[in-house]
């Protein structure tokens, strides 16, 4: 309650209702008026004058930057981000800085647009909504004690997380060269000639060297932070899941981390690791083919027996006098299954039958899955297809091809091996001719003329005709 004749005297509602008086101000005889609430917009449409006063008061008490404490001082379920954004947008970014845009007392446009009752109803609704949301929200995690910035408080010894620094930095002695260097006003310029003195030039060179070392130090710390190298336990756990070959490969790739960001380096490492696993799988499959293993189940059995034999100790002779005192050979460690095992496991997914390029697929449990090497799908019965018989060339005896004289014979099918034997042609030469003819045929929709095939191969025309007929019969190409 405010006295009408004295603007500097206010009385609270309970005292006014009890008839209390002080000094010469008697409520029963003097005229009083009701002071309305300051919950009206003056600077922005969603903040009242009372909240603006509490904002400035909180900033004065707690200091700018303590937005969480200022938000608690304001109340009304205001968040610290909301308070910070309002202060920056209303006061800092104002053209009348440090005053807000609508600092003029005569400017009542916001009050006209947002009447008192509407503004207070909207404020009450906002408070109720945030209050209900706070009740239904999960309990917040208890506040932890701030981490002390000492070298022994992190999993990486010597790192101080509070300062983002290390106890021993890169080029740790760089500051020793400039610690006693002084620069006074007017030094370094000869008053007679106006030129820079040699001592000052030397100081500037030393400062340039020092700045370059600081730049290198910052770049190296950036690599550490960007690639999460401070998460030592997490990285060590991931390293334990890799094989020795994969760890050696990743160690060789680590220098590239300084030239790429974290995502690109992860893509590079994953690609190289996948390539390494593919090479191991291909080498394993070639070893199986050399051992005449035709399916993945038998190959898995062979690998298990091979590992068992490697772990078996070497037999000692009955006449070996040192057999009792000779220390046994250490058992080789068993490698954990890597990504290579997944590439050669019996549970490989079935390959697509409608692939554009046919490929050779191994037989699984005696049954072939996926397109065959001759271009026919497994949906059709392969026994119904007529076998291609190569017509011998007069005066040209067949050549017996074996893995000893033809290293790439495992890449050919039985019919292709027979064709190379009759034509006395090495498998690598045949595969080169086959690839050239098929590339030329793909330019015209899969069909090619016999004359065009001879121009591509540039060898004996009779041999080209035999290869051309075989490719047409196998379904690789079509006659034009």
């Amino acid at each position: 309650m405010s006295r009408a004749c004295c603007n500097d005297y206010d009385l609270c509602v309970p005292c006014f209702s009890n008839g209390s008086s002080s000094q010469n101000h008697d409520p029963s005889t003097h005229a009083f008026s009701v002071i309305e609430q300051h919950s009206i917009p003056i600077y922005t449409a969603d903040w009242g004058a009372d909240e603006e006063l509490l904002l400035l008061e909180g900033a004065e008490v707690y200091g700018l930057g303590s937005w969480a404490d200022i938000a608690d001082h304001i109340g009304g379920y205001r968040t610290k981000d909301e308070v910070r954004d309002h202060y920056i947008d209303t006061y800092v970014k104002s053209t009348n800085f440090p005053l807000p845009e609508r600092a003029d007392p005569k400017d009542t446009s916001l009050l006209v647009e947002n009447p008192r009752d509407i503004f207070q109803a909207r404020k009450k609704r906002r408070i109720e909504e945030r209050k209900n949301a706070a009740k239904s929200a999960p309990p917040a995690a208890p506040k932890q004690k701030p981490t002390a910035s000492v070298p022994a408080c992190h999993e990486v010894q010597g790192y101080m997380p509070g300062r983002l620094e290390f106890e021993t930095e890169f080029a740790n002695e760089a500051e020793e060269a400039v610690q006693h260097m002084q620069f006074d006003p007017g030094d370094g310029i000869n008053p007679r000639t106006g030129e820079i003195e040699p001592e000052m030039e030397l100081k500037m060179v030393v400062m340039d060297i020092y700045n370059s070392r600081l730049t290198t130090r910052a770049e190296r710390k950036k690599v550490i932070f960007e690639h999460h190298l401070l998460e030592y336990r997490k990285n060590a756990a991931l390293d334990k899941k890799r094989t020795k070959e994969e760890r050696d490969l990743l160690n060789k790739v680590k220098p590239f981390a300084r030239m790429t960001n974290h995502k690109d380096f992860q893509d590079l490492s994953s690609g190289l690791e996948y390539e390494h696993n593919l090479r191991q799988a291909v080498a394993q499959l070639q070893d199986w083919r050399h051992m005449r293993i035709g399916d993945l189940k038998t190959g898995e059995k062979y690998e298990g027996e091979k590992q068992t034999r490697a772990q078996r100790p070497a037999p000692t002779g009955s006449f070996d006098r040192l057999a009792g005192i000779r220390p046994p050979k250490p058992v080789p460690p068993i490698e954990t299954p890597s990504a290579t095992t997944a590439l050669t496991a019996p549970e490989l997914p079935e390959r697509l039958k409608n692939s554009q390029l046919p490929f050779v697929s191994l037989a699984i449990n005696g049954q072939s899955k996926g397109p065959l090497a001759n271009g026919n799908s497994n949906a059709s019965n392969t026994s119904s297809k007529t076998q291609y018989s190569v017509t011998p060339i007069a005066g040209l005896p067949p050549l017996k091809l074996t893995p000893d004289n033809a290293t790439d014979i495992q890449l050919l099918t039985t019919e292709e091996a027979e064709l190379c034997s009759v034509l006395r042609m090495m498998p690598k030469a045949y595969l080169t001719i086959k690839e050239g003819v098929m590339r030329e045929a793909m330019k015209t929709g899969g069909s090619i003329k016999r004359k065009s095939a001879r121009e591509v191969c540039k060898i004996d025309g009779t041999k080209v005709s035999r290869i051309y007929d075989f490719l047409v019969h196998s379904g690789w190409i079509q006659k034009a």
Side-chain angles (χ1 to χ4, degrees):
M1 306 298 294
S2 175
R3 187 179 175 184
C5 59
C6 298
N7 296 329
D8 57 346
Y9 180 79
D10 296 332
L11 190 65
C12 63
V13 175
C15 293
F16 181 80
S17 60
N18 294 332
S20 302
S21 62
S22 61
Q23 298 179 359
N24 298 326
H25 306 283
D26 188 4
S28 59
T29 58
H30 294 178
F32 283 82
S33 61
V34 179
I35 301 176
E36 297 181 352
Q37 296 181 0
H38 297 307
S39 184
I40 55 174
I42 55 175
Y43 298 148
T44 59
D46 55 343
W47 279 68
D50 52 347
E51 293 176 315
E52 299 286 355
L53 290 174
L54 291 173
L55 170 62
L56 298 178
E57 182 181 346
E60 183 180 1
V61 173
Y62 301 106
L64 287 176
S66 303
W67 303 114
D69 296 333
I70 297 175
D72 294 339
H73 182 76
I74 296 174
Y77 293 92
R78 293 284 188 183
T79 62
K80 61 178 182 179
D81 296 334
E82 187 179 6
V83 174
R84 180 194 62 222
D85 296 341
H86 174 74
Y87 181 82
I88 293 176
D89 295 338
T90 306
Y91 295 91
V92 178
K93 295 183 179 180
S94 173
T95 57
N96 299 329
F97 180 82
L99 298 177
E101 294 284 352
R102 303 176 183 272
D104 187 3
K106 299 179 181 179
D107 187 0
T108 59
S109 57
L110 282 178
L111 183 59
V112 175
E113 297 174 0
N114 303 274
R116 183 190 301 271
D117 52 348
I118 298 178
F119 177 81
Q120 292 181 357
R122 187 166 61 240
K123 178 181 178 180
K124 183 178 180 180
R125 184 168 57 253
R126 173 178 57 81
I127 294 176
E128 291 294 333
E129 291 175 356
R130 296 190 179 185
K131 183 177 180 180
N132 296 332
K135 290 182 179 179
S136 59
K143 293 184 179 181
Q144 298 180 355
K145 185 179 180 180
T147 305
S149 184
V150 294
C153 68
H154 196 267
E155 56 184 309
V156 177
Q157 186 177 8
Y159 175 65
M160 296 175 283
R163 302 169 60 180
L164 300 179
E165 294 179 355
F166 293 88
E167 187 179 11
T168 304
E169 295 281 356
F170 173 77
N172 201 42
E173 298 81 10
E175 285 77 10
E176 294 180 359
V178 297
Q179 62 180 350
H180 299 299
M181 192 177 296
Q182 295 181 359
F183 292 90
D184 296 328
D187 286 353
I189 301 178
N190 193 330
R192 298 179 181 177
T193 60
E195 297 179 354
I196 300 178
E197 296 180 352
E199 183 181 358
M200 179 59 66
E201 293 180 354
L202 179 60
K203 287 184 178 180
M204 297 305 297
V205 171
V206 174
M207 289 301 299
D208 291 340
I209 297 174
Y210 173 65
N211 289 330
S212 65
R213 291 181 178 178
L214 291 183
T215 302
T216 306
R217 180 187 298 175
E219 290 176 353
R220 300 209 172 200
K221 289 171 66 174
K222 180 182 177 182
V223 172
I224 294 175
F225 297 147
E226 185 175 2
H227 293 275
H228 310 296
L229 299 182
L230 294 174
E231 300 176 359
Y232 175 76
R233 295 190 182 92
K234 181 180 178 181
N235 296 332
L238 292 177
D239 264 350
K240 290 182 180 179
K241 298 180 181 179
R242 300 187 178 100
T243 61
K244 183 179 181 300
E245 293 81 4
E246 293 173 350
R247 288 195 295 268
D248 295 341
L249 178 63
L250 293 180
N251 288 333
K252 294 178 181 179
V253 182
K254 282 182 179 179
F256 292 97
R258 296 176 59 184
M259 296 173 281
T260 59
N261 55 33
H262 182 63
K263 182 179 181 302
D264 293 342
F265 180 72
Q266 289 295 329
D267 295 341
L268 175 64
S269 303
S270 302
L272 291 177
E273 185 177 349
Y274 184 66
E275 180 188 2
H276 170 73
N277 295 330
L278 282 179
R279 289 181 181 274
Q280 283 191 335
V282 170
Q284 190 179 51
L285 293 175
Q286 289 177 347
D287 182 32
W288 292 357
R289 178 169 294 217
H290 182 71
M291 300 300 295
R292 299 294 189 269
I293 297 176
D295 57 81
L296 296 176
K297 186 176 182 180
T298 309
E300 186 183 19
K301 182 179 179 182
Y302 165 74
E303 291 294 332
E305 294 176 354
K306 182 179 178 181
Q307 191 173 8
T308 304
R309 287 194 303 269
Q311 298 176 2
R312 189 180 305 164
T316 56
S318 59
F319 298 99
D320 191 357
R321 292 177 297 175
L322 302 177
I325 62 175
R326 182 181 293 113
K329 293 184 178 180
V331 180
I334 302 177
E335 287 284 354
T336 57
S338 61
T340 309
T341 309
L343 297 172
T344 58
E347 293 80 10
L348 283 175
E350 293 189 7
R351 294 184 172 92
L352 298 177
K353 296 183 179 180
N354 298 326
S355 59
Q356 296 179 355
L357 295 178
F359 54 89
V360 180
S361 61
L362 292 176
I364 301 179
N365 300 331
Q367 297 180 358
S368 177
K369 295 185 178 182
L372 299 178
N374 57 5
N376 292 333
S377 174
N378 289 321
S380 60
N381 189 5
T382 56
S383 60
S384 61
K385 179 187 174 182
T386 58
Q387 186 176 2
Y388 180 78
S389 59
V390 186
T391 306
I393 300 177
L396 190 65
L399 175 64
K400 185 177 180 181
L401 299 178
T402 61
D404 298 330
N405 60 5
T407 56
D408 300 326
I409 192 173
Q410 73 274 4
L411 301 177
L412 306 180
T413 63
T414 306
E415 295 180 350
E416 289 178 325
E418 182 182 357
L419 175 65
C420 291
S421 176
V422 173
L423 301 182
R424 298 183 65 85
M425 182 178 296
M426 288 292 105
K428 184 173 292 186
Y430 162 74
L431 292 174
T432 304
I433 295 173
K434 174 183 174 183
E435 182 182 1
V437 174
M438 291 183 61
R439 285 181 180 274
E440 193 66 24
M442 291 298 295
K443 296 179 181 179
T444 57
S447 59
I448 187 175
K449 295 182 180 180
R450 190 186 301 268
K451 181 180 179 181
S452 301
R454 291 179 180 176
E455 294 176 356
V456 172
C457 299
K458 296 181 181 180
I459 60 173
D460 186 13
T462 306
K463 293 183 179 181
V464 176
S465 298
R466 298 290 192 277
I467 297 175
Y468 179 82
D469 295 338
F470 172 75
L471 295 178
V472 172
H473 179 270
S474 300
W476 292 105
I477 61 175
Q478 297 178 359
K479 289 184 179 181

